[in-house]
Amino acid sequence: MPTTLIFGASRGLGRAFTDHALQLGHRVVALVRHADMASELHTLGVEVVIGDALDPLAVAQACRLAGRDARVVSTLGSFRQSAPVDYQGNRHVIDEMERAGLSRLLLVTSLGCGDSWQYLPERARAAFGHEVRLKSLAESWLQTSTLEWTILRPAGLQDGEPTGQAILSQGLERHGLVRRQDVAIRGLQLLTYQEACGQIYAIGDPGLNQP
């Protein structure tokens, strides 16, 4: 049974990764800030560490519980949150993974990060450009780490059932929409591909962009 350690598991995209990993029969470990959400995930079979990604000791505890063979997903983000974890939280994840001997990480950021900033529309820069810049710092920290990493940059996230039509691309911006469940499905697949190590992918669903 593979082990998947998820940071950001309690809501949104992270919850989609949690649900899909459970469906695949994975042992799932998660770091969660709030006791009520920890209780909910525990009833689903998730092994939960209660703590904050901004606390390196909590991150280290989650890494130790998961074990060295765990594959790790981080969807940490701070849009509309009081304390930004986009960079510092992800940096703790990267650093504590290295210390604990874990090696495989999928970092989920967003379109506009890194070298794709030039393609981010002005309206999007004004709305969440600060968070995108912090996520870009996390990407840079990861790329200079010793980990076996993959970066995934989704288009605009949408709830709903997976369409199965999401497309991964490199060197091509896929603005528009993509279902969170499709990102989780394709993201967990990327974690199993050795050829995905050291690669950056965009993901979008052209079928959702039609009028």
Side-chain angles (χ1 to χ4, degrees):
M1 177 190 302
T3 297
T4 302
L5 170 58
I6 301 177
F7 293 93
S10 61
R11 60 170 61 89
L13 184 56
R15 183 59 181 266
F17 271 94
T18 300
D19 291 342
H20 188 58
L22 289 170
Q23 290 170 12
L24 293 175
H26 292 195
R27 172 186 174 235
V28 179
V29 180
L31 177 68
V32 178
R33 284 188 299 164
H34 301 296
D36 55 346
M37 185 54 66
S39 178
E40 178 181 331
L41 291 176
H42 182 72
T43 62
L44 298 175
V46 178
E47 298 177 39
V48 178
V49 173
I50 298 178
D52 196 310
L54 292 174
D55 177 5
L57 294 179
V59 175
Q61 183 182 354
C63 288
R64 288 194 301 269
L65 177 61
R68 293 168 63 96
D69 294 331
R71 298 173 181 141
V72 184
V73 176
S74 178
T75 66
L76 291 173
S78 56
F79 183 59
R80 295 177 179 170
Q81 301 296 316
S82 58
V85 298
D86 304 84
Y87 171 56
Q88 196 60 55
N90 280 313
R91 177 172 171 173
H92 289 328
V93 170
I94 295 161
D95 292 349
E96 297 306 327
M97 282 182 66
E98 289 182 318
R99 291 189 181 100
L102 286 77
S103 60
R104 188 72 176 97
L105 173 61
L106 176 73
L107 177 63
V108 186
T109 58
S110 67
L111 289 180
C113 287
D115 57 1
S116 67
W117 173 263
Q118 60 185 314
Y119 302 109
L120 194 66
E122 287 296 332
R123 180 180 297 180
R125 293 184 188 185
F128 49 85
H130 180 67
E131 288 80 9
V132 170
R133 294 173 71 189
L134 291 174
K135 290 180 188 294
S136 296
L137 291 174
E139 288 189 356
S140 295
W141 194 261
L142 177 58
Q143 288 172 287
T144 55
S145 74
T146 62
L147 301 182
E148 296 179 355
W149 56 267
T150 303
I151 293 169
L152 184 59
R153 297 170 176 166
L157 294 167
Q158 186 182 70
D159 290 327
E161 293 297 316
T163 69
Q165 303 301 313
I167 296 175
L168 293 171
S169 61
Q170 292 181 286
L172 176 65
E173 292 303 303
R174 292 200 171 274
H175 291 279
L177 297 171
V178 65
R179 296 276 168 84
R180 287 178 172 85
Q181 293 290 343
D182 282 308
V183 176
I185 291 168
R186 300 305 299 273
L188 288 177
Q189 290 173 345
L190 285 174
L191 273 176
T192 68
Y193 299 158
Q194 187 62 33
E195 62 268 25
C197 291
Q199 301 298 312
I200 300 173
Y201 299 90
I203 182 170
D205 189 335
L208 296 177
N209 301 330
Q210 301 300 319

